[in-house]
């Protein structure tokens, strides 16, 4: 039986771009979200310490499932094996996907 695939999910989050690795990804029942499960982290016994990777491990420690908004996802790739978790500051401006705006209330009468 083949091993479960691994997906790299690149997400824009509050001025940073995160590279996450997960084993399960699917469309959520919550409109406008993608569900990701089974986060894959590097071996903790490695010598090089990356503060960005540690930040992501702390952020997702104990998280069973995460719901990511569609407009925050930059790309999703199926990869052969996990890579290093990355947090990169984003200097570019990411525009929110256009959405309908609420109509003003109707006047009475």
């Amino acid at each position: 039986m083949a091993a479960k695939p691994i997906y790299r999910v690149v997400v824009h989050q509050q001025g940073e771009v995160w590279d996450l690795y997960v084993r399960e990804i699917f469309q959520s029942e919550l409109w406008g979200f993608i569900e990701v499960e089974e986060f894959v982290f590097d071996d903790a016994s490695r010598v090089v310490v990356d503060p960005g990777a540690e930040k992501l491990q702390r952020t997702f420690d104990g998280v069973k499932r995460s719901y990511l908004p569609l407009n925050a996802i930059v790309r999703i790739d199926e990869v052969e094996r996990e890579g290093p978790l990355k947090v990169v500051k984003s200097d570019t401006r990411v525009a929110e996907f256009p959405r309908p705006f609420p109509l003003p209330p109707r006047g009475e009468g």
Side-chain angles (χ1 to χ4, degrees):
M1 181 175 163
K4 279 181 147 179
I6 296 177
Y7 300 96
R8 177 178 54 219
V9 182
V10 182
V11 180
H12 189 269
Q13 175 67 21
Q14 297 178 346
E16 297 177 333
V17 177
W18 294 358
D19 281 7
L20 305 173
Y21 291 87
V22 298
R23 293 202 182 270
E24 297 286 339
I25 184 167
F26 42 92
Q27 187 170 343
S28 174
E29 291 181 7
L30 295 173
W31 187 83
F33 288 85
I34 294 289
E35 291 182 38
V36 294
E37 295 179 351
E38 296 184 39
F39 291 91
V40 180
F41 299 111
D42 281 342
D43 184 16
S45 65
R46 60 191 162 89
V47 176
V48 179
V49 176
D50 180 9
E54 286 184 1
K55 174 185 175 180
L56 289 177
Q57 283 183 318
R58 283 192 312 272
T59 300
F60 293 102
D61 184 37
V63 174
K64 178 180 175 183
R65 176 181 302 133
S66 188
Y67 298 87
L68 304 174
L70 284 174
N71 61 338
I73 295 175
V74 177
R75 97 185 262 149
I76 300 171
D77 298 316
E78 184 175 345
V79 296
E80 291 184 13
R81 61 179 178 268
E82 73 272 7
L85 298 175
K86 287 193 257 179
V87 175
V88 179
K89 285 284 188 191
S90 175
D91 294 334
T92 61
R93 299 188 83 149
V94 176
E96 185 176 321
F97 191 76
R99 59 182 169 179
F101 54 90
L103 296 174
R106 292 184 179 184
E108 294 183 16

